[in-house]
Amino acid sequence: MLNHILVTGPSRSGKSEWAEFLAAQSQQPVIYIATAIAPPEDPEWLQRIEQHRIRRPAEWELWECPLELAALLRDLPPHHCALVDSLGTWVANCLDQSHDQWQATVAEFLASVQACKAQLIVVAEEVGWGVVPAYASGRCFRDRLGELCQHLSPLMAQVYLVAAGFALPLHQWGICLKRLRAAN
């Protein structure tokens, strides 16, 4: 397994900045994989995308991938670091998939992570710490992202939780339940 990293945390916690720092420290060419779709009628969203663009070093490549993330990961060149920002946005882009379609998408994504020859740094939002959403699409998003992160984390060498600008190394301090179950 390569030194794949999952960086998770709530909104505005500093998770993207931490992931960018880790990518810069990798000593490899960086490919920034943006999963966002930029609708021109949403200036606040466009401003968020612009903030990410401004922070990125000019030498980093930008690959935009709102849907076909698994195929893109399989095609990444070795000896590169790929930063995926963010998994939550990708899940939101796939919300129209049926349960069975989504399960197939997840299986393909997880297989591509395992086969990826580049180092991966994946940013994912923590959304399940608050009130249960009152609408079906909100619950679907929360559940899909939470379950995906549970399946992804055992495939990662490092997992960080970023809160209030602090990166906490969960891989050092925590016990991965999926790994524990697999061992028994």
Side-chain angles (χ1 to χ4, degrees), residues 35-112:
T35 60
I37 298 171
E41 69 278 358
D42 189 345
E44 190 269 336
W45 187 247
L46 293 173
Q47 183 181 15
R48 285 174 181 251
I49 291 171
E50 180 65 10
Q51 288 170 347
H52 283 251
R53 188 195 61 75
I54 290 169
R55 278 199 318 259
R56 284 194 301 269
E59 65 271 12
W60 287 10
E61 284 185 61
L62 171 64
W63 293 9
E64 295 179 347
C65 183
L67 293 171
E68 301 300 328
L69 189 54
L72 187 141
L73 295 182
R74 284 192 302 270
D75 293 339
L76 286 169
H79 311 295
H80 282 69
C81 177
L83 192 166
V84 178
D85 198 355
S86 76
L87 204 56
T89 303
W90 177 68
V91 169
N93 295 342
C94 297
L95 276 181
D96 62 341
Q97 293 183 357
S98 71
H99 174 78
D100 290 343
Q101 289 171 319
W102 175 246
Q103 292 306 310
T105 297
V106 167
E108 182 183 14
F109 171 73
L110 295 172
S112 71

